[in-house]
Amino acid sequence: MHIKNILKDMEKDNIQAYLLTQFTNIKYISDYKPTSFAFCVIKENPIIYASQMDMEIANRDSTIEVKEYEKFEVMIDDLKKEGIKNLAIEPSLVYSTYEKFKDDFKIESKNYIDKQRMIKSSDELKNIKKATEIAQTSFKQLDVANRSETEDVLAFDLVRLMIENGASGESFDTILVSGSDTSLPHAVPQAKKLETPILVDWGAKFNGYCSDNTRTIVYTEKQHEIFDIVLESHDKAIKAIKPGLKCCEIDKVSRDIIKEYGYGDNFIHSTGHSLGLDIHETPGFSIRDNTVIEKGMVITVEPGIYLEGEFGVRIEDTVSIGNKAKIIGNLSI
């Protein structure tokens, strides 16, 4: 179905073939995720050119035809023999690869696959829900507030628990930090004992699909004050989400609440991002994203306030969007 929808979009633009090289895009189209390199060409008869060392796994997993990659000249000759003169590419295609094709085809950069990946199927949503369940169960088991080990050891333990509970791995490098390092949105766990507050941003992968949550454990009166502001922003943003609104409108709801309390300059990232096979997908709840919200989207909501040199608070949940937004999972805040 994905390929049929992409072919319809290509036909509207008079595009004859669409070249994919991103591993997760190839998996999305074919169920085969390369381990080395591969070229997937979407056309009337789609094909994947896989490396020799990937042929066994490609033949096992791919739902579309697979051919062993020999060299660029052979692949280009195959396309020209089919009468293909124009070729769409992913915007992320590396320039050195683009150079191989530019003399033989009229090339345009297109986001056809990103458009498809915005809307999750029921199976995709099941995988995201399972990944979330695994991650949240593992977090509860970790019981970080009652542990005495260092940040890096606890982060390792959380990943271990996720794998023991059925994850293939972590969705991204686990953030488990404390004290003043919580004011750094992408801080790295250190070999130091826990201070306060404690911020954990983590996710599991299940069947290739990601989850994402953040929790901040606060202690002092000021930390609680900031926590309550962030929670209000988080809750009201989720309540505001519905199909037909623009993503930037949800970002504004979240951001305006934090601004009202005088911390607008301390909210230093977007309100959320889509996820799926990748931890960051489109669209996102950003001031610059005018994408119209649709049913079937899965997007995080993660407002934060960061006080440089003191501490930071972030609260993040992932929501699935139907007539309204529903939080995935049941982890308390």
Side-chain angles (χ1 to χ4, degrees):
M1 193 64 192
H2 299 317
I3 291 175
K4 287 181 180 178
N5 290 336
I6 291 171
L7 286 171
K8 287 178 184 176
D9 288 339
M10 290 167 56
E11 187 177 2
K12 292 175 188 174
D13 294 337
N14 196 29
I15 296 292
Q16 295 171 290
Y18 186 28
L19 176 68
L20 306 176
T21 59
Q22 277 194 48
F23 287 5
T24 48
N25 281 343
I26 294 173
K27 177 175 173 58
Y28 182 77
I29 290 298
S30 69
D31 287 339
Y32 150 62
K33 187 173 183 179
T35 68
S36 175
F37 68 87
F39 301 93
C40 176
V41 184
I42 298 178
K43 49 191 179 65
E44 285 301 326
N45 299 300
I47 189 169
I48 293 173
Y49 293 85
S51 68
Q52 184 178 27
M53 68 180 191
D54 255 12
M55 283 301 292
E56 182 176 352
I57 189 173
N59 283 323
R60 183 192 72 191
D61 295 344
S62 180
T63 56
I64 64 178
E65 183 184 353
V66 176
K67 183 176 181 179
E68 184 177 331
Y69 171 84
E70 297 177 57
K71 53 185 179 179
F72 275 106
E73 290 78 8
V74 172
M75 185 165 51
I76 289 169
D77 192 49
D78 286 348
L79 297 176
K80 289 169 74 174
K81 284 177 180 175
E82 291 187 46
I84 292 171
K85 297 180 179 179
N86 57 60
L87 182 69
I89 60 171
E90 299 163 303
S92 59
L93 188 75
V94 297
Y95 186 76
S96 59
T97 302
Y98 161 78
E99 282 190 308
K100 302 287 187 181
F101 292 94
K102 67 181 179 64
D103 293 332
D104 293 283
F105 306 97
K106 179 185 175 184
I107 294 180
E108 295 183 52
S109 174
K110 295 290 185 180
N111 283 309
Y112 298 129
I113 197 160
D114 289 348
K115 178 182 174 183
Q116 285 298 304
R117 287 178 62 175
M118 284 184 187
I119 309 300
K120 271 48 181 184
S121 67
S122 59
D123 284 342
E124 288 180 292
L125 186 56
K126 284 178 186 176
N127 285 325
I128 294 169
K129 286 180 175 178
K130 182 62 178 177
T132 303
E133 177 191 326
I134 290 168
Q136 293 184 352
T137 297
S138 302
F139 177 75
K140 292 173 189 174
Q141 291 172 345
L142 183 69
D143 192 20
V144 65
N146 293 309
R147 299 286 290 272
S148 60
E149 295 92 332
T150 56
E151 293 175 354
D152 54 353
V153 169
L154 289 168
F156 178 86
D157 274 356
L158 181 51
V159 176
R160 175 183 57 79
L161 284 166
M162 290 192 288
I163 292 171
E164 287 178 354
N165 286 322
S168 60
E170 55 188 341
S171 301
F172 51 91
D173 291 341
T174 297
I175 299 170
L176 194 158
V177 295
S178 62
S180 60
D181 282 352
T182 57
S183 71
L184 308 171
H186 289 160
V188 176
Q190 303 295 317
K192 68 172 188 178
K193 295 288 186 178
L194 291 177
E195 300 170 349
T196 65
I198 303 167
L199 186 150
V200 187
D201 188 346
W202 80 106
K205 270 203 164 186
F206 180 78
N207 279 348
Y209 283 83
C210 301
S211 75
D212 197 357
N213 280 109
T214 304
R215 290 294 183 267
T216 307
I217 304 168
V218 295
Y219 294 83
T220 69
E221 183 178 349
K222 186 172 183 181
Q223 290 169 10
H224 278 284
E225 174 192 328
I226 297 300
F227 182 93
D228 288 344
I229 296 168
V230 173
L231 181 58
E232 182 181 341
S233 174
H234 165 278
D235 290 351
K236 288 185 176 176
I238 292 174
K239 190 174 181 180
I241 297 167
K242 63 180 180 180
L245 292 179
K246 293 181 179 179
C247 286
C248 57
E249 294 179 270
I250 304 305
D251 181 86
K252 187 176 187 304
V253 169
S254 178
R255 199 168 300 279
D256 281 354
I257 290 164
I258 290 175
K259 282 181 181 177
E260 286 171 12
Y261 287 96
Y263 292 101
D265 291 340
N266 303 100
F267 185 5
I268 54 179
H269 52 70
S270 64
T271 299
H273 57 88
S274 293
L275 55 73
L277 288 168
D278 290 310
I279 190 60
H280 289 105
E281 298 186 0
T282 56
F285 294 137
S286 161
I287 196 169
R288 294 174 295 277
D289 196 326
N290 290 303
T291 304
V292 175
I293 298 168
E294 297 182 51
K295 291 181 181 180
M297 289 181 172
V298 175
I299 310 179
T300 69
V301 175
E302 52 175 310
I305 293 175
Y306 307 92
L307 305 179
E308 185 177 346
E310 294 186 62
F311 67 89
V313 172
R314 181 166 68 255
I315 302 170
E316 177 184 22
D317 282 298
T318 302
V319 302
S320 60
I321 301 171
N323 291 324
K324 58 182 181 178
K326 182 178 181 181
I327 293 175
I328 296 175
N330 58 4
L331 187 64
S332 61
I333 294 177

